[in-house]
Amino acid sequence: MTNIEIIQELYRCFREKDDDGFRAICSDDLEWIQNLGFPYGRCRKGAEAVIETVFKGNMREWEDFSYDISQFLDAGSTIVVIGSYAGIHHSTKKQMQAAAAHVYDLRGGKVCRFRMFADTKSMWDAMS
């Protein structure tokens, strides 16, 4: 698979809740960095931490949570994905949409680092 195909597979794993597929395309030393302004944003280490605290956490916090992709940018061992988050907060029932960029670094055909940059104001507005 090309690096873009690997990242497309990562999004498929997220959409279909395929945790084993996600584990298979991540390196053992995966770093998952969400910007600090993001709800629960911080750095997590390893695929298990991402599955439990990020993927499952998003599902606990939001209904119909998604990342809608508008563009993939190929920079060799780095793939940038431009898009936006969408969802409805479970408690407040408010909708949100937030522009975001995801930056993935790959090594040896595996995702070794994720960095997220998001406009989080609409998320916090929906949560309050």
Side-chain angles (χ1 to χ4, degrees):
M1 283 195 289
T2 68
N3 286 343
I4 284 183
E5 290 170 336
I6 292 167
I7 299 308
Q8 289 170 332
E9 174 66 5
L10 181 144
Y11 287 105
R12 184 206 61 79
C13 291
F14 173 71
R15 278 190 313 276
E16 297 179 12
K17 298 172 183 60
D18 179 359
D19 296 343
D20 289 334
F22 177 74
R23 285 182 196 97
I25 60 174
C26 293
S27 67
D28 291 339
D29 61 344
L30 173 68
E31 279 188 306
W32 197 270
I33 305 165
Q34 294 174 292
N35 56 285
L36 293 178
F38 192 79
Y40 314 108
R42 64 185 171 103
C43 180
R44 290 167 177 87
K45 304 276 185 172
E48 286 307 316
V50 173
I51 291 165
E52 291 303 317
T53 63
V54 177
F55 294 167
K56 291 181 181 179
N58 287 337
M59 294 304 137
R60 284 189 297 269
E61 193 78 35
W62 303 96
E63 296 173 31
D64 302 322
F65 186 83
S66 65
Y67 183 70
D68 302 312
I69 298 166
S70 61
Q71 187 175 17
F72 288 94
L73 302 169
D74 188 343
S77 63
T78 299
I79 303 296
V80 178
V81 184
I82 307 297
S84 61
Y85 292 109
I88 301 166
H89 193 262
H90 279 297
S91 298
T92 68
K93 302 302 181 199
K94 294 180 184 176
Q95 283 190 315
M96 70 82 183
Q97 186 168 2
H102 294 167
V103 180
Y104 294 92
D105 295 316
L106 294 97
R107 181 181 63 238
K110 302 249 183 193
V111 177
C112 61
R113 184 169 64 168
F114 164 86
R115 290 170 284 160
M116 182 262 293
F117 304 91
D119 177 4
T120 60
K121 183 180 183 319
S122 66
M123 295 180 127
W124 286 107
D125 288 349
M127 293 171 72
S128 61

